[in-house]
């Protein structure tokens, strides 16, 4: 497939502020070594460079339709970017600290264009409702959550080989919500309209909050 | 530049914001108009031969300029090389306007600016930050200071 690579390279290196940047170790392939690369997140594109001063990226990971998971590996602070598309490659990355890893996982799981569009639509509706008169309705408590789409940060202690992607029904942790079904993209006026953004965001945020409080508790221990 | 092609192919099969058969002419001098199925999905414009399932190519729509070309045509060019234009021919002025509007709104950067705008408007009206309830109010990418004037 042809791609406007020159424009892509320009987008990677232009002056605008980036959404996240830092060194990460990238696993070359299933049994390959990790290579240290300079990563730059801009929009839904995760670019990686040989080094911080390189003028052109070595490559880019397009972040639509992905989930971001912690993985257990020999390397510390490892996480994986996985795609619903069965034949797509999973990227295994390792940060240099716990804080850096958390920052990347959070940033990457919310990097998709779809997620941003959800937020924008929600705000658009709120503003329209306010302008039509009166206060916006209070956010509804999530009831039947309809898990959809990408952008879910899942905290998993299982190694990539053992994980079965989206079908992890028989796992420990009764409070853990099921992983979303295989990705279905949203149409502009499609099913996403029926689930409020807050419901979806609540669902996505549950796992993050659970693990975060777990981590905070473990830090509090001597 | 390496990229995850299989994922991009999967993306090209997702429901589109807009899709139509248009005449398309590449940026090289002397290129001819070809019928292509053109599909807008998130911030990518995919173009297919009309009888094929895999796209011939894709254009990432960041930092691009969409301009009207003839009565019912438009072009896409990119900031780093504004003379290099991809030309598209529509069947009507109406279709042309529809595409131009959609393409201009199709960039991540446009979405980001919209979010900052709505956030600001709502904050002015209510005194509260609407992003707080979503837990993303501290994200650097949504701060006003990040937007160039």
């Amino acid at each position: 497939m042809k791609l406007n690579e020159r424009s892509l390279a320009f987008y990677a290196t232009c002056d605008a502020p980036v959404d996240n940047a830092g060194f990460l170790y990238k696993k070359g392939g299933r049994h390959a070594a990790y290579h240290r690369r300079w990563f730059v997140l801009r929009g839904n594109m995760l670019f990686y460079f040989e080094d911080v001063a390189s003028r052109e990226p070595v490559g880019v990971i397009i972040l639509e339709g992905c989930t971001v998971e912690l993985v257990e590996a020999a390397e510390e602070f490892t996480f994986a970017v996985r795609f619903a598309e069965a034949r797509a490659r999973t990227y295994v990355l390792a940060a240099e600290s716990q804080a850096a890893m958390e920052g990347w996982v959070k940033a990457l799981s919310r990097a998709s264009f779809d997620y941003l569009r959800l937020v924008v639509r929600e705000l658009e509706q709120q503003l329209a409702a306010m302008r039509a008169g009166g206060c916006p309705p209070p956010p509804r408590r999530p009831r039947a959550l309809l898990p959809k789409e990408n952008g879910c940060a899942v905290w998993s202690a299982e190694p990539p080989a053992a994980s079965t992607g989206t079908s992890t029904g028989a796992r420990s942790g009764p409070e853990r919500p099921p992983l979303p079904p295989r990705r279905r993209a949203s149409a502009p006026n499609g099913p996403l309209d029926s689930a409020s953004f807050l419901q979806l965001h609540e669902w996505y945020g549950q796992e993050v909050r659970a693990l975060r409080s777990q981590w905070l508790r473990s830090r509090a221990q001597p | 530049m390496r990229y995850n092609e299989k994922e991009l192919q999967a993306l090209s099969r997702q429901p589109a914001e807009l899709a139509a058969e248009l005449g398309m002419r590449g940026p090289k001098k002397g290129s001819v108009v070809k019928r292509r199925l053109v599909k807008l999905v998130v911030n990518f414009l995919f173009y297919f031969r009309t009888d094929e399932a895999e796209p011939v190519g894709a254009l990432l729509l960041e930092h691009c300029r969409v301009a009207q070309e003839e009565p019912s045509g438009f072009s896409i060019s990119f900031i780093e090389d504004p003379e290099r234009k991809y030309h598209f021919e529509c069947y009507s002025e109406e279709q042309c306007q529809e595409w131009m509007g959609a393409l201009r709104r199709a960039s991540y950067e446009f979405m980001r600016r919209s979010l900052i705008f709505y956030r600001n408007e709502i904050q002015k009206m209510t005194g509260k930050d609407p992003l707080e309830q979503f837990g993303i109010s501290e994200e650097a990418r949504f701060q006003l200071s990040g937007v160039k004037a």
Side-chain angles (χ1 to χ4, degrees):
Chain A
M1 199 192 308
K2 285 189 246 178
L3 198 53
N4 52 332
E5 289 193 23
R6 238 178 298 177
S7 310
L8 213 58
F10 179 82
Y11 187 52
T13 54
C14 69
D15 269 338
V18 298
D19 297 326
N20 209 7
F23 282 105
L24 290 172
Y25 292 89
K26 179 172 163 291
K27 202 158 199 281
R30 200 144 21 121
H31 302 292
Y34 286 87
H35 295 281
R36 192 169 188 250
R37 295 270 180 262
W38 176 253
F39 277 78
V40 168
L41 172 65
R42 187 168 265 143
N44 56 349
M45 305 279 133
L46 181 61
F47 297 97
Y48 51 99
F49 298 77
E50 183 95 29
D51 205 341
V52 65
S54 307
R55 289 205 293 158
E56 250 202 43
V58 172
V60 62
I61 302 169
I62 298 158
L63 296 167
E64 288 303 312
C66 71
T67 56
V68 186
E69 306 175 356
L70 288 192
V71 297
E72 203 155 276
E75 194 79 23
E76 270 190 302
F77 317 124
T78 312
F79 59 98
V81 178
R82 239 182 256 285
F83 295 88
E85 164 65 27
R87 296 170 303 155
R89 183 199 158 162
T90 293
Y91 291 89
V92 178
L93 303 168
E96 292 176 322
S97 72
Q98 178 75 20
M101 180 195 68
E102 292 201 350
W104 276 107
V105 172
K106 228 165 78 164
L108 295 176
S109 36
R110 291 169 177 160
S112 71
F113 187 95
D114 256 336
Y115 176 87
L116 189 58
R117 184 162 51 188
L118 270 181
V119 181
V120 170
R121 285 213 185 119
E122 178 70 16
L123 294 190
E124 213 170 5
Q125 282 174 22
Q126 280 187 21
L127 189 59
M130 279 162 42
R131 283 179 172 162
C135 299
R140 286 163 288 165
R141 294 314 303 160
R143 258 162 289 154
L145 291 174
L146 300 143
K148 291 195 198 281
E149 270 296 352
N150 50 328
C152 162
V154 177
W155 301 80
S156 154
E158 287 178 359
S163 141
T164 50
T166 54
S167 53
T168 52
R171 293 235 334 267
S172 59
E175 65 284 346
R176 192 186 300 270
L179 286 173
R182 294 251 160 212
R183 173 174 177 254
R184 287 178 293 130
S186 58
N189 299 303
L192 268 173
D193 283 353
S194 60
S196 81
F197 173 76
L198 189 66
Q199 288 174 333
L200 295 164
H201 196 274
E202 266 296 304
W203 188 82
Y204 292 151
Q206 274 174 35
E207 294 256 40
V208 177
R209 282 197 293 276
L211 194 91
R212 182 173 164 72
S213 56
Q214 221 180 300
W215 177 70
L216 285 171
R217 279 197 300 275
S218 70
R219 276 189 72 193
Q221 285 160 13
Chain B
M1 197 191 307
R2 285 184 237 142
Y3 65 97
N4 44 337
E5 179 153 17
K6 298 216 168 57
E7 170 50 31
L8 198 55
Q9 283 169 349
L11 194 61
S12 77
R13 292 191 284 270
Q14 300 307 323
E17 182 81 24
L18 265 191
E21 197 183 300
L22 302 176
M24 181 178 174
R25 183 158 58 91
K28 288 207 187 97
K29 204 167 176 196
S31 42
V32 292
V33 176
K34 301 193 177 127
R35 303 299 302 168
R36 291 285 179 256
L37 171 62
V38 182
K39 230 179 137 177
L40 175 59
V41 182
V42 297
N43 52 348
F44 280 95
L45 189 67
F46 294 101
Y47 49 100
F48 302 71
R49 286 192 188 90
T50 51
D51 56 352
E52 287 181 1
E54 299 294 356
V56 174
L59 298 176
L60 173 70
L61 298 168
E62 299 297 331
H63 296 302
C64 71
R65 182 169 177 265
V66 180
Q68 183 135 25
E69 286 299 328
E70 312 113 48
S72 53
F74 63 89
S75 66
I76 299 175
S77 58
F78 296 89
I79 196 172
E80 78 280 356
D81 198 348
E83 292 313 305
R84 200 162 176 273
K85 293 179 175 181
Y86 295 81
H87 291 263
F88 297 86
E89 288 171 7
C90 305
Y91 67 75
S92 71
E93 168 73 15
E94 198 187 331
Q95 188 192 39
C96 182
Q97 291 302 325
E98 191 190 10
W99 272 93
M100 287 174 63
L103 289 167
R104 285 181 178 135
R105 293 187 300 271
S107 72
Y108 199 99
E109 299 308 314
F110 177 87
M111 279 286 156
R112 193 205 303 265
R113 288 198 300 273
S114 303
L115 183 146
I116 292 171
F117 170 78
Y118 289 126
R119 179 193 195 183
N120 205 43
E121 289 297 298
I122 291 172
Q123 197 149 14
K124 282 198 293 201
M125 283 178 83
T126 64
K128 288 201 284 197
D129 180 358
L131 294 189
E132 247 166 58
Q133 61 183 293
F134 306 134
I136 54 176
S137 52
E138 295 312 307
E139 290 194 12
R141 61 183 170 146
F142 299 140
Q143 305 313 318
L144 256 173
S145 52
V147 176
K148 293 196 274 212

